[in-house]
PDB file of all heavy atoms in Angstrom:
ATOM      1  N   ASP A   1       4.046   9.794   3.350  1.00 49.00           N
ATOM      2  CA  ASP A   1       3.671   9.187   2.079  1.00 49.00           C
ATOM      3  C   ASP A   1       4.479   7.918   1.877  1.00 49.00           C
ATOM      4  O   ASP A   1       5.700   7.945   1.853  1.00 49.00           O
ATOM      5  CB  ASP A   1       3.948  10.173   0.943  1.00 49.00           C
ATOM      6  CG  ASP A   1       3.550   9.633  -0.415  1.00 49.00           C
ATOM      7  OD1 ASP A   1       2.923   8.556  -0.478  1.00 49.00           O
ATOM      8  OD2 ASP A   1       3.866  10.300  -1.415  1.00 49.00           O
ATOM      9  N   SER A   2       3.809   6.795   1.724  1.00 43.00           N
ATOM     10  CA  SER A   2       4.500   5.509   1.569  1.00 43.00           C
ATOM     11  C   SER A   2       5.147   5.359   0.206  1.00 43.00           C
ATOM     12  O   SER A   2       5.888   4.424  -0.030  1.00 43.00           O
ATOM     13  CB  SER A   2       3.523   4.354   1.814  1.00 43.00           C
ATOM     14  OG  SER A   2       2.518   4.377   0.835  1.00 43.00           O
ATOM     15  N   LYS A   3       4.864   6.292  -0.697  1.00 45.00           N
ATOM     16  CA  LYS A   3       5.432   6.167  -2.039  1.00 45.00           C
ATOM     17  C   LYS A   3       6.743   6.940  -2.192  1.00 45.00           C
ATOM     18  O   LYS A   3       7.364   6.892  -3.235  1.00 45.00           O
ATOM     19  CB  LYS A   3       4.413   6.651  -3.071  1.00 45.00           C
ATOM     20  CG  LYS A   3       3.221   5.733  -3.146  1.00 45.00           C
ATOM     21  CD  LYS A   3       2.236   6.169  -4.186  1.00 45.00           C
ATOM     22  CE  LYS A   3       1.166   5.108  -4.267  1.00 45.00           C
ATOM     23  NZ  LYS A   3      -0.129   5.511  -4.388  1.00 45.00           N
ATOM     24  N   THR A   4       7.146   7.626  -1.139  1.00 43.00           N
ATOM     25  CA  THR A   4       8.403   8.355  -1.250  1.00 43.00           C
ATOM     26  C   THR A   4       9.547   7.361  -1.292  1.00 43.00           C
ATOM     27  O   THR A   4       9.501   6.312  -0.675  1.00 43.00           O
ATOM     28  CB  THR A   4       8.601   9.317  -0.065  1.00 43.00           C
ATOM     29  OG1 THR A   4       8.575   8.573   1.130  1.00 43.00           O
ATOM     30  CG2 THR A   4       7.559  10.411  -0.058  1.00 43.00           C
ATOM     31  N   SER A   5      10.580   7.717  -2.027  1.00 41.00           N
ATOM     32  CA  SER A   5      11.721   6.821  -2.154  1.00 41.00           C
ATOM     33  C   SER A   5      12.975   7.527  -1.690  1.00 41.00           C
ATOM     34  O   SER A   5      13.011   8.746  -1.607  1.00 41.00           O
ATOM     35  CB  SER A   5      11.872   6.361  -3.603  1.00 41.00           C
ATOM     36  OG  SER A   5      12.078   7.469  -4.425  1.00 41.00           O
ATOM     37  N   PRO A   6      14.016   6.759  -1.384  1.00 42.00           N
ATOM     38  CA  PRO A   6      15.257   7.365  -0.937  1.00 42.00           C
ATOM     39  C   PRO A   6      15.812   8.318  -1.984  1.00 42.00           C
ATOM     40  O   PRO A   6      15.532   8.177  -3.165  1.00 42.00           O
ATOM     41  CB  PRO A   6      16.189   6.163  -0.756  1.00 42.00           C
ATOM     42  CG  PRO A   6      15.318   4.966  -0.722  1.00 42.00           C
ATOM     43  CD  PRO A   6      14.080   5.319  -1.459  1.00 42.00           C
ATOM     44  N   ASP A   7      16.633   9.275  -1.521  1.00 42.00           N
ATOM     45  CA  ASP A   7      17.193  10.247  -2.447  1.00 42.00           C
ATOM     46  C   ASP A   7      18.516   9.791  -3.047  1.00 42.00           C
ATOM     47  O   ASP A   7      19.306  10.594  -3.504  1.00 42.00           O
ATOM     48  CB  ASP A   7      17.362  11.602  -1.753  1.00 42.00           C
ATOM     49  CG  ASP A   7      18.318  11.526  -0.578  1.00 42.00           C
ATOM     50  OD1 ASP A   7      18.818  10.432  -0.268  1.00 42.00           O
ATOM     51  OD2 ASP A   7      18.562  12.587   0.026  1.00 42.00           O
ATOM     52  N   PHE A   8      18.768   8.516  -3.050  1.00 39.00           N
ATOM     53  CA  PHE A   8      19.962   7.979  -3.692  1.00 39.00           C
ATOM     54  C   PHE A   8      19.607   6.677  -4.373  1.00 39.00           C
ATOM     55  O   PHE A   8      18.614   6.036  -4.042  1.00 39.00           O
ATOM     56  CB  PHE A   8      21.099   7.758  -2.675  1.00 39.00           C
ATOM     57  CG  PHE A   8      20.801   6.706  -1.648  1.00 39.00           C
ATOM     58  CD1 PHE A   8      21.211   5.401  -1.835  1.00 39.00           C
ATOM     59  CD2 PHE A   8      20.103   7.017  -0.493  1.00 39.00           C
ATOM     60  CE1 PHE A   8      20.938   4.424  -0.885  1.00 39.00           C
ATOM     61  CE2 PHE A   8      19.826   6.045   0.453  1.00 39.00           C
ATOM     62  CZ  PHE A   8      20.251   4.744   0.256  1.00 39.00           C
ATOM     63  N   ASP A   9      20.401   6.309  -5.329  1.00 44.00           N
ATOM     64  CA  ASP A   9      20.162   5.062  -6.047  1.00 44.00           C
ATOM     65  C   ASP A   9      21.468   4.300  -6.128  1.00 44.00           C
ATOM     66  O   ASP A   9      22.521   4.887  -6.326  1.00 44.00           O
ATOM     67  CB  ASP A   9      19.623   5.352  -7.448  1.00 44.00           C
ATOM     68  CG  ASP A   9      19.070   4.114  -8.113  1.00 44.00           C
ATOM     69  OD1 ASP A   9      18.592   3.219  -7.386  1.00 44.00           O
ATOM     70  OD2 ASP A   9      19.118   4.039  -9.349  1.00 44.00           O
ATOM     71  N   ILE A  10      21.380   2.992  -5.965  1.00 43.00           N
ATOM     72  CA  ILE A  10      22.547   2.130  -6.047  1.00 43.00           C
ATOM     73  C   ILE A  10      22.485   1.399  -7.385  1.00 43.00           C
ATOM     74  O   ILE A  10      21.568   0.620  -7.611  1.00 43.00           O
ATOM     75  CB  ILE A  10      22.567   1.102  -4.890  1.00 43.00           C
ATOM     76  CG1 ILE A  10      22.488   1.809  -3.527  1.00 43.00           C
ATOM     77  CG2 ILE A  10      23.774   0.205  -4.988  1.00 43.00           C
ATOM     78  CD1 ILE A  10      23.638   2.737  -3.229  1.00 43.00           C
ATOM     79  N   PRO A  11      23.445   1.655  -8.266  1.00 45.00           N
ATOM     80  CA  PRO A  11      23.402   0.975  -9.568  1.00 45.00           C
ATOM     81  C   PRO A  11      23.699  -0.515  -9.419  1.00 45.00           C
ATOM     82  O   PRO A  11      24.597  -0.912  -8.694  1.00 45.00           O
ATOM     83  CB  PRO A  11      24.511   1.677 -10.358  1.00 45.00           C
ATOM     84  CG  PRO A  11      25.422   2.237  -9.331  1.00 45.00           C
ATOM     85  CD  PRO A  11      24.597   2.523  -8.123  1.00 45.00           C
ATOM     86  N   MET A  12      22.910  -1.339 -10.088  1.00 44.00           N
ATOM     87  CA  MET A  12      23.117  -2.780 -10.052  1.00 44.00           C
ATOM     88  C   MET A  12      22.841  -3.345 -11.434  1.00 44.00           C
ATOM     89  O   MET A  12      21.943  -2.877 -12.123  1.00 44.00           O
ATOM     90  CB  MET A  12      22.148  -3.446  -9.059  1.00 44.00           C
ATOM     91  CG  MET A  12      22.437  -3.157  -7.614  1.00 44.00           C
ATOM     92  SD  MET A  12      21.329  -4.075  -6.535  1.00 44.00           S
ATOM     93  CE  MET A  12      19.861  -3.088  -6.615  1.00 44.00           C
ATOM     94  N   ASN A  13      23.605  -4.368 -11.814  1.00 44.00           N
ATOM     95  CA  ASN A  13      23.301  -5.036 -13.073  1.00 44.00           C
ATOM     96  C   ASN A  13      22.218  -6.090 -12.820  1.00 44.00           C
ATOM     97  O   ASN A  13      21.830  -6.343 -11.688  1.00 44.00           O
ATOM     98  CB  ASN A  13      24.578  -5.617 -13.706  1.00 44.00           C
ATOM     99  CG  ASN A  13      25.200  -6.710 -12.872  1.00 44.00           C
ATOM    100  OD1 ASN A  13      24.510  -7.522 -12.276  1.00 44.00           O
ATOM    101  ND2 ASN A  13      26.525  -6.737 -12.825  1.00 44.00           N
ATOM    102  N   ASN A  14      21.707  -6.719 -13.870  1.00 44.00           N
ATOM    103  CA  ASN A  14      20.581  -7.656 -13.741  1.00 44.00           C
ATOM    104  C   ASN A  14      20.895  -8.857 -12.861  1.00 44.00           C
ATOM    105  O   ASN A  14      20.054  -9.295 -12.089  1.00 44.00           O
ATOM    106  CB  ASN A  14      20.110  -8.116 -15.122  1.00 44.00           C
ATOM    107  CG  ASN A  14      19.358  -7.025 -15.852  1.00 44.00           C
ATOM    108  OD1 ASN A  14      18.823  -6.115 -15.227  1.00 44.00           O
ATOM    109  ND2 ASN A  14      19.324  -7.091 -17.167  1.00 44.00           N
ATOM    110  N   ALA A  15      22.104  -9.420 -12.978  1.00 43.00           N
ATOM    111  CA  ALA A  15      22.460 -10.580 -12.160  1.00 43.00           C
ATOM    112  C   ALA A  15      22.448 -10.205 -10.687  1.00 43.00           C
ATOM    113  O   ALA A  15      21.972 -10.968  -9.842  1.00 43.00           O
ATOM    114  CB  ALA A  15      23.833 -11.119 -12.560  1.00 43.00           C
ATOM    115  N   GLU A  16      22.947  -9.010 -10.365  1.00 42.00           N
ATOM    116  CA  GLU A  16      22.961  -8.572  -8.973  1.00 42.00           C
ATOM    117  C   GLU A  16      21.552  -8.311  -8.468  1.00 42.00           C
ATOM    118  O   GLU A  16      21.232  -8.587  -7.320  1.00 42.00           O
ATOM    119  CB  GLU A  16      23.827  -7.319  -8.833  1.00 42.00           C
ATOM    120  CG  GLU A  16      25.300  -7.657  -8.984  1.00 42.00           C
ATOM    121  CD  GLU A  16      26.143  -6.473  -9.404  1.00 42.00           C
ATOM    122  OE1 GLU A  16      25.567  -5.446  -9.842  1.00 42.00           O
ATOM    123  OE2 GLU A  16      27.365  -6.586  -9.295  1.00 42.00           O
ATOM    124  N   LYS A  17      20.682  -7.780  -9.310  1.00 46.00           N
ATOM    125  CA  LYS A  17      19.305  -7.543  -8.905  1.00 46.00           C
ATOM    126  C   LYS A  17      18.619  -8.855  -8.528  1.00 46.00           C
ATOM    127  O   LYS A  17      17.745  -8.871  -7.680  1.00 46.00           O
ATOM    128  CB  LYS A  17      18.534  -6.831 -10.016  1.00 46.00           C
ATOM    129  CG  LYS A  17      18.901  -5.374 -10.145  1.00 46.00           C
ATOM    130  CD  LYS A  17      18.125  -4.719 -11.259  1.00 46.00           C
ATOM    131  CE  LYS A  17      18.575  -3.277 -11.421  1.00 46.00           C
ATOM    132  NZ  LYS A  17      17.932  -2.614 -12.540  1.00 46.00           N
ATOM    133  N   GLN A  18      19.027  -9.933  -9.152  1.00 73.00           N
ATOM    134  CA  GLN A  18      18.432 -11.224  -8.835  1.00 73.00           C
ATOM    135  C   GLN A  18      18.990 -11.787  -7.527  1.00 73.00           C
ATOM    136  O   GLN A  18      18.346 -12.598  -6.890  1.00 73.00           O
ATOM    137  CB  GLN A  18      18.681 -12.212  -9.969  1.00 73.00           C
ATOM    138  CG  GLN A  18      17.937 -11.839 -11.228  1.00 73.00           C
ATOM    139  CD  GLN A  18      18.285 -12.732 -12.402  1.00 73.00           C
ATOM    140  OE1 GLN A  18      19.153 -13.582 -12.327  1.00 73.00           O
ATOM    141  NE2 GLN A  18      17.598 -12.525 -13.507  1.00 73.00           N
ATOM    142  N   MET A  19      20.185 -11.364  -7.112  1.00 86.00           N
ATOM    143  CA  MET A  19      20.792 -11.873  -5.882  1.00 86.00           C
ATOM    144  C   MET A  19      20.232 -11.192  -4.645  1.00 86.00           C
ATOM    145  O   MET A  19      20.165 -11.786  -3.592  1.00 86.00           O
ATOM    146  CB  MET A  19      22.313 -11.690  -5.905  1.00 86.00           C
ATOM    147  CG  MET A  19      23.015 -12.603  -6.873  1.00 86.00           C
ATOM    148  SD  MET A  19      24.805 -12.648  -6.638  1.00 86.00           S
ATOM    149  CE  MET A  19      25.291 -10.967  -6.999  1.00 86.00           C
ATOM    150  N   TYR A  20      19.879  -9.920  -4.760  1.00 91.00           N
ATOM    151  CA  TYR A  20      19.371  -9.187  -3.612  1.00 91.00           C
ATOM    152  C   TYR A  20      18.490  -8.022  -4.053  1.00 91.00           C
ATOM    153  O   TYR A  20      18.556  -7.573  -5.187  1.00 91.00           O
ATOM    154  CB  TYR A  20      20.503  -8.682  -2.709  1.00 91.00           C
ATOM    155  CG  TYR A  20      21.580  -7.889  -3.419  1.00 91.00           C
ATOM    156  CD1 TYR A  20      21.429  -6.532  -3.689  1.00 91.00           C
ATOM    157  CD2 TYR A  20      22.770  -8.493  -3.801  1.00 91.00           C
ATOM    158  CE1 TYR A  20      22.420  -5.803  -4.323  1.00 91.00           C
ATOM    159  CE2 TYR A  20      23.779  -7.775  -4.438  1.00 91.00           C
ATOM    160  CZ  TYR A  20      23.594  -6.429  -4.693  1.00 91.00           C
ATOM    161  OH  TYR A  20      24.579  -5.712  -5.316  1.00 91.00           O
ATOM    162  N   ASP A  21      17.669  -7.569  -3.124  1.00 90.00           N
ATOM    163  CA  ASP A  21      16.808  -6.417  -3.350  1.00 90.00           C
ATOM    164  C   ASP A  21      16.873  -5.576  -2.081  1.00 90.00           C
ATOM    165  O   ASP A  21      16.380  -5.987  -1.032  1.00 90.00           O
ATOM    166  CB  ASP A  21      15.375  -6.872  -3.625  1.00 90.00           C
ATOM    167  CG  ASP A  21      14.403  -5.716  -3.797  1.00 90.00           C
ATOM    168  OD1 ASP A  21      14.830  -4.544  -3.715  1.00 90.00           O
ATOM    169  OD2 ASP A  21      13.210  -5.987  -4.000  1.00 90.00           O
ATOM    170  N   LEU A  22      17.475  -4.425  -2.164  1.00 88.00           N
ATOM    171  CA  LEU A  22      17.741  -3.599  -0.985  1.00 88.00           C
ATOM    172  C   LEU A  22      16.632  -2.594  -0.679  1.00 88.00           C
ATOM    173  O   LEU A  22      16.829  -1.670   0.103  1.00 88.00           O
ATOM    174  CB  LEU A  22      19.083  -2.891  -1.167  1.00 88.00           C
ATOM    175  CG  LEU A  22      20.267  -3.842  -1.388  1.00 88.00           C
ATOM    176  CD1 LEU A  22      21.527  -3.062  -1.685  1.00 88.00           C
ATOM    177  CD2 LEU A  22      20.456  -4.768  -0.208  1.00 88.00           C
ATOM    178  N   THR A  23      15.460  -2.808  -1.236  1.00 87.00           N
ATOM    179  CA  THR A  23      14.339  -1.894  -1.037  1.00 87.00           C
ATOM    180  C   THR A  23      13.989  -1.735   0.438  1.00 87.00           C
ATOM    181  O   THR A  23      13.763  -0.613   0.910  1.00 87.00           O
ATOM    182  CB  THR A  23      13.101  -2.380  -1.821  1.00 87.00           C
ATOM    183  OG1 THR A  23      13.455  -2.502  -3.191  1.00 87.00           O
ATOM    184  CG2 THR A  23      11.932  -1.432  -1.662  1.00 87.00           C
ATOM    185  N   VAL A  24      13.928  -2.822   1.192  1.00 87.00           N
ATOM    186  CA  VAL A  24      13.569  -2.750   2.609  1.00 87.00           C
ATOM    187  C   VAL A  24      14.600  -1.918   3.365  1.00 87.00           C
ATOM    188  O   VAL A  24      14.243  -1.048   4.167  1.00 87.00           O
ATOM    189  CB  VAL A  24      13.431  -4.160   3.227  1.00 87.00           C
ATOM    190  CG1 VAL A  24      13.254  -4.094   4.744  1.00 87.00           C
ATOM    191  CG2 VAL A  24      12.259  -4.908   2.594  1.00 87.00           C
ATOM    192  N   ILE A  25      15.884  -2.155   3.099  1.00 87.00           N
ATOM    193  CA  ILE A  25      16.941  -1.402   3.776  1.00 87.00           C
ATOM    194  C   ILE A  25      16.856   0.080   3.398  1.00 87.00           C
ATOM    195  O   ILE A  25      17.006   0.955   4.247  1.00 87.00           O
ATOM    196  CB  ILE A  25      18.333  -1.976   3.431  1.00 87.00           C
ATOM    197  CG1 ILE A  25      18.447  -3.436   3.871  1.00 87.00           C
ATOM    198  CG2 ILE A  25      19.444  -1.140   4.053  1.00 87.00           C
ATOM    199  CD1 ILE A  25      18.279  -3.673   5.348  1.00 87.00           C
ATOM    200  N   LYS A  26      16.577   0.368   2.134  1.00 86.00           N
ATOM    201  CA  LYS A  26      16.425   1.765   1.708  1.00 86.00           C
ATOM    202  C   LYS A  26      15.253   2.422   2.438  1.00 86.00           C
ATOM    203  O   LYS A  26      15.337   3.579   2.857  1.00 86.00           O
ATOM    204  CB  LYS A  26      16.212   1.859   0.199  1.00 86.00           C
ATOM    205  CG  LYS A  26      17.468   1.593  -0.603  1.00 86.00           C
ATOM    206  CD  LYS A  26      17.170   1.708  -2.093  1.00 86.00           C
ATOM    207  CE  LYS A  26      18.385   1.405  -2.932  1.00 86.00           C
ATOM    208  NZ  LYS A  26      18.096   1.493  -4.371  1.00 86.00           N
ATOM    209  N   ASN A  27      14.163   1.687   2.606  1.00 85.00           N
ATOM    210  CA  ASN A  27      13.001   2.231   3.306  1.00 85.00           C
ATOM    211  C   ASN A  27      13.293   2.468   4.785  1.00 85.00           C
ATOM    212  O   ASN A  27      12.881   3.467   5.356  1.00 85.00           O
ATOM    213  CB  ASN A  27      11.782   1.331   3.143  1.00 85.00           C
ATOM    214  CG  ASN A  27      11.181   1.409   1.760  1.00 85.00           C
ATOM    215  OD1 ASN A  27      11.281   2.428   1.088  1.00 85.00           O
ATOM    216  ND2 ASN A  27      10.569   0.334   1.319  1.00 85.00           N
TER     217      ASN A  27
END
């Protein structure tokens, strides 16, 4: 299922979310 997500989450503030997006690495 392509909609499954990793079983962990990395907390990030808004400024950090704009600097990087680790979705590909999580996948």
Side-chain angles (χ1 to χ4, degrees):
D1 182 8
S2 64
K3 292 182 174 139
T4 58
S5 60
D7 62 358
F8 65 94
D9 193 29
I10 305 298
M12 290 184 281
N13 65 38
N14 287 337
E16 288 157 346
K17 286 179 183 176
Q18 292 174 355
M19 289 193 297
Y20 53 83
D21 177 1
L22 302 175
T23 303
V24 172
I25 300 299
K26 286 180 182 179
N27 286 331

